[in-house]
């Protein structure tokens, strides 16, 4: 017999989030223009509600104690998702440096390769073509000033 | 006749008609791809609606919803993989029909039933929304506050098996909504010195991250979709004797779809399964169900298309989105400075009637496009999944950047995607979070406005009869959900 661990973890996470949120709410400055509730009033209510919900979830998960079959955790999908998040974050960092056409082509190619596409000339050609299509679509057709890239004088 | 004239005028004076056709096309493609739900297909287009005139933008988004529900039935029938959650019930008999060499017939029944359901739902939407909005015109600030609380409690209760999980999601949404400059005193809240946060976090960024990016994070760890072997499949529309046989399951789907659509948190999936079950119960041939029954395809496909329209009733009348797709549509309204709810009919009637007209066009376009789109859909489903993931993410980051030319906002979308991934793992529903983000301002501003009116006396929420009734309803719903949860310790998977 085990407690429902995922719910327990979620409950603890909610309480931690509530504590951090309440601490941040406590540092909201007072204003002479403030009403009776104040800028921090509702956030504090929300923070306390989150703490209470997290505590109740923890309590419920302990109380439930349902039999949970032992399951092997498969980490691979989560690691893949984490890697994809890393690629997207890298895009946000790299795009202002190398500009939109190159960064979007890189993003397309790297994500496709990371998701299982074979590395080769086909991957390169399709990525470059995708970058060109996206650049024409957003930059030329929609007229959006996409980043030109610091390295290219943007 | 005035609303009808306004609808026609609104359609003809904008790009709404081509937008309806384009939205249906995009929706069918999106729905046909397993993992791309209607809300994701809509969220992907959301950034592009900034540049459009409001009626065109909203018709485009609503039409995606219409098209996606039909599109979802294509892989459900051909490869036993529902393209959308609501198409899961279609698998039961649709795939059996395909195995018997009747895939074209099943797809034809799905298309026609979708049209019947969409048109029926539209009639309900037109008839029910304005009277309900008329009632809501009597709302005062305390009543608006109570309405927001009730909306969140309904969604938190019904969109998941666990009220507590729904509540936690809603509170996260409220927390996000409070980031930025306080609207009353002007002091910054939770900005941590970052100027890009002073204007707050736009709901559109949260929606795109939660729905689209988190789905790609899930998809990358899942095996490839099955290949659709449907090169020889030709769509066959049902003839008159078949239409007569389908009338009963379509009627059942229409009634259940109406009820589930107007109930916030219920949605097309529940409607489809309930309709399937009821159609079997009332059928003259119940033994055929599960073995390729035409009624088993017609009932759920009617129901999930009824929901595409009836889910808009609580959104347009009260400003409460009852489903993920309705929440994305709400994002479309907010982008154009329109707040759905009772005042919408006063402030922007042309947009509302234009949306009604656009939905009519979308349903007709679905029939026309559905007849010719099958081969391209099969081709699309057979594209390598890695490329689809890559292109969808490229579209997301480009579209989001195009809104305000801000990479900071792209970063927020990525962060929202990570949160969405965590929520999916913990089986926490995402709709309450979205609702918290979009209703946060309404709840807080009306709470504070009420207390200003009463000089700090909370009794105003009890003195106002509508507020009292709504708050009591919210409390009763929360108590019932907690009781249900407390005495049923094993939770079931949350609906996404």
């Amino acid at each position: 017999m085990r407690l429902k661990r995922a719910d327990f973890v979620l409950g603890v996470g909610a309480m931690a989030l509530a504590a951090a949120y309440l601490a941040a709410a406590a540092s909201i400055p007072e204003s002479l223009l403030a009403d009776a509730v104040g800028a921090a009033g509702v956030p504090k209510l929300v923070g306390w509600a989150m703490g209470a919900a997290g505590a109740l979830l923890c309590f419920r998960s302990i109380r439930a104690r349902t039999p949970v079959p032992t399951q092997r955790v498969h980490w691979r999908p989560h690691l893949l998702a984490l890697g994809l998040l890393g690629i997207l974050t890298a895009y946000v960092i790299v795009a202002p440096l190398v500009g939109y056409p190159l960064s979007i082509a890189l993003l397309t190619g790297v994500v496709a390769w990371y998701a299982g596409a074979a590395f080769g000339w086909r991957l390169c050609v399709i990525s470059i073509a995708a970058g060109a299509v996206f650049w024409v679509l957003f930059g030329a057709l929609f007229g959006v000033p996409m980043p030109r890239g610091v390295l290219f004088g943007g | 006749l005035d609303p009808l004239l306004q609808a026609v005028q609104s359609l003809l004076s904008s790009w709404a008609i081509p937008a309806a056709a384009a939205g249906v096309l995009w929706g069918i493609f999106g729905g046909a791809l397993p993992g791309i739900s209607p809300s994701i297909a809509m969220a992907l287009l959301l950034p592009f609606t900034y540049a459009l005139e409001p009626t065109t933008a909203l018709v485009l988004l609503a039409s995606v919803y219409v098209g996606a529900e039909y599109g979802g039935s294509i892989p459900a029938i051909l490869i036993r993989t529902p393209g959308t959650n609501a198409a899961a019930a279609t698998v039961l008999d649709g795939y059996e029909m395909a195995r018997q060499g009747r895939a074209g017939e099943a797809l034809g029944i799905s298309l026609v039933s979708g049209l019947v359901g969409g048109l029926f739902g539209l009639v309900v939407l037109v008839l029910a929304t304005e009277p309900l909005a008329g009632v809501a015109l009597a709302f005062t600030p305390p009543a608006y506050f109570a309405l927001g609380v009730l909306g969140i409690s309904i969604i938190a209760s019904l969109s998941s098996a666990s009220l507590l999980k729904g509540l936690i999601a809603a509170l996260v949404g409220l927390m996000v909504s409070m980031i930025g400059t306080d609207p009353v005193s002007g002091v910054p809240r939770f900005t941590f010195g970052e100027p890009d946060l002073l204007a707050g976090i736009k709901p559109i960024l949260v929606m795109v991250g939660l729905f689209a990016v988190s789905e790609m994070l899930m998809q990358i760890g899942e095996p490839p979709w099955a290949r659709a072997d449907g090169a020889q499949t030709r769509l066959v529309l049902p003839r008159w004797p078949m239409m007569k046989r389908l009338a009963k399951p379509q009627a059942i789907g229409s009634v259940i779809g109406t009820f589930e659509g107007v109930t916030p948190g219920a949605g097309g999936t529940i409607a489809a399964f309930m309709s399937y079950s009821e159609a079997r119960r009332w059928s003259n041939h119940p033994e055929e169900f599960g073995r390729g029954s035409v009624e088993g395809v017609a009932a759920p496909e009617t129901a999930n298309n009824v929901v595409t329209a009836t889910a808009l009733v609580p959104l347009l009348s009260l400003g409460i989105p009852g489903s993920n797709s309705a929440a994305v549509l709400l994002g479309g309204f907010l982008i154009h400075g329109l707040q759905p709810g009772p005042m919408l009919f006063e402030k922007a009637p042309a947009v509302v009637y234009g949306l009604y007209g656009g939905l009519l066009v979308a349903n007709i376009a679905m029939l026309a496009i559905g007849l010719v789109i099958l081969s391209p859909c099969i081709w699309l489903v057979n594209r390598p999944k890695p490329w689809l993931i890559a292109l969808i993410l490229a579209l997301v980051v480009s579209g989001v950047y195009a809104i305000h030319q801000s990479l900071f906002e792209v970063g927020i979308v990525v962060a929202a995607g990570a949160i969405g991934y965590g929520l999916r793992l913990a089986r926490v529903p995402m709709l309450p979070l979205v609702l918290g983000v979009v209703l946060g301002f309404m709840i807080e501003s009306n709470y504070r406005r009420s207390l200003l009116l009463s000089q700090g006396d909370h009794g105003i929420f009890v003195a106002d009869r509508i507020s009292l009734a709504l708050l009591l309803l919210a409390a009763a719903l929360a108590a019932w959900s907690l009781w249900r949860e407390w005495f049923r310790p094993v939770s079931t998977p949350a609906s996404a």
Side-chain angles (χ1 to χ4, degrees), chain A:
Chain A
M1 303 281 270
R2 287 174 16 181
L3 53 80
K4 294 179 77 182
R5 197 169 61 183
D7 285 2
F8 185 77
V9 170
L10 180 65
V12 171
M15 285 195 288
L17 177 63
Y21 193 76
L22 284 169
S27 66
I28 293 174
E30 286 294 327
S31 164
L32 292 174
L33 298 171
D35 53 354
V37 179
V42 176
K44 283 178 180 170
L45 279 176
V46 171
W48 283 113
M50 177 66 94
L56 271 174
L57 193 61
C58 284
F59 180 64
R60 180 179 160 275
S61 67
I62 294 168
R63 180 180 164 272
R65 285 185 177 274
T66 49
V68 178
T70 309
Q71 284 180 330
R72 210 174 142 209
V73 179
H74 297 285
W75 289 104
R76 187 178 141 76
H78 307 313
L79 292 174
L80 281 170
L82 194 64
L84 187 55
L85 273 176
I87 294 169
L88 288 168
T89 308
Y91 169 81
V92 175
I93 296 166
V94 166
L97 298 175
V98 302
Y100 177 73
L102 185 55
S103 60
I104 203 70
L106 277 172
L107 177 77
T108 311
V110 171
V111 169
W113 168 77
Y114 184 73
F119 186 80
W121 65 268
R122 205 174 148 173
L123 183 97
C124 298
V125 169
I126 297 179
S127 305
I128 292 167
V133 168
F134 274 106
W135 184 71
V136 168
L137 185 69
F138 285 91
L141 277 176
F142 295 164
V144 179
M146 306 305 269
R148 287 176 57 200
V150 175
L151 298 181
F152 298 99

Side-chain angles (χ1 to χ4, degrees), chain B residues 201-451:
Chain B
I201 292 178
K202 305 276 183 299
I204 177 181
L205 305 177
V206 178
M207 289 179 196
V208 173
L210 282 183
F211 294 135
V213 176
S214 75
E215 181 60 38
M216 294 306 107
L217 294 173
M218 296 296 290
Q219 286 292 336
I220 200 158
E222 291 179 4
W225 306 314
R227 285 182 68 82
D229 185 20
Q232 304 304 316
T233 303
R234 294 285 175 271
L235 193 137
V236 181
L237 287 179
R239 293 180 181 275
W240 182 242
M242 176 61 80
M243 283 302 292
K244 283 202 285 188
R245 186 180 168 187
L246 298 179
K248 191 157 74 176
Q250 286 171 344
I252 290 169
S254 297
V255 172
I256 293 175
T258 300
F259 180 74
E260 296 296 330
V262 298
T263 308
T269 311
I270 297 172
F273 275 103
M274 279 181 67
S275 301
Y276 181 87
S277 172
E278 289 305 308
R280 180 168 58 185
R281 192 211 302 241
W282 293 95
S283 172
N284 294 329
H285 307 281
E287 74 285 353
E288 290 182 7
F289 278 72
R291 296 174 183 169
S293 166
V294 291
E295 295 167 61
V297 174
E301 283 302 310
T302 307
N304 62 33
N305 271 75
V306 172
V307 171
T308 61
T310 53
L312 307 188
V313 173
L315 173 67
L316 296 181
S317 58
L318 304 173
I320 306 289
S323 67
N324 290 342
S325 303
V328 179
L329 190 62
L330 172 59
F333 275 100
L334 297 178
I335 282 171
H336 290 92
L338 298 167
Q339 178 67 52
M343 293 309 292
L344 187 65
F345 286 85
E346 300 286 321
K347 289 184 176 170
V351 172
V352 180
Y353 298 129
L355 180 59
Y356 291 166
L359 278 170
L360 177 65
V361 174
N363 276 287
I364 295 166
M366 182 180 73
L367 181 65
I369 294 171
L371 287 171
V372 295
I373 203 69
L374 191 56
S375 296
C377 277
I378 293 171
W379 178 85
L380 187 67
V381 170
N382 286 338
R383 289 311 89 206
K385 190 169 149 185
W387 282 108
L388 289 173
I389 293 175
L391 292 173
I392 286 170
L393 286 175
L395 189 64
V396 165
V397 298
S398 305
V400 169
Y401 179 84
I403 299 171
H404 295 126
Q405 291 84 56
S406 165
L407 279 165
F408 183 82
E409 292 191 345
V410 177
I412 287 183
V413 168
V414 174
I419 292 170
Y421 183 77
L423 294 178
R424 284 168 188 260
L425 289 186
R427 298 185 188 282
V428 175
M430 290 192 282
L431 184 56
L433 195 159
V434 173
L435 207 62
V437 175
V438 296
L439 293 184
F441 177 76
M442 179 179 115
I443 291 174
E444 184 182 11
S445 60
N446 282 293
Y447 174 71
R448 292 169 74 172
R449 200 175 299 159
S450 303
L451 290 181

Side-chain angles (χ1 to χ4, degrees), chain A residues 56 60 63, chain B residues 157 161-164 475-489:
Chain A
L56 271 174
R60 180 179 160 275
R63 180 180 164 272
Chain B
S157 302
S162 166
L163 171 74
L164 287 174
L477 191 64
W480 170 74
S481 299
L482 264 182
W483 180 85
R484 186 189 60 165
E485 189 175 345
W486 217 252
F487 292 99
R488 193 189 53 188

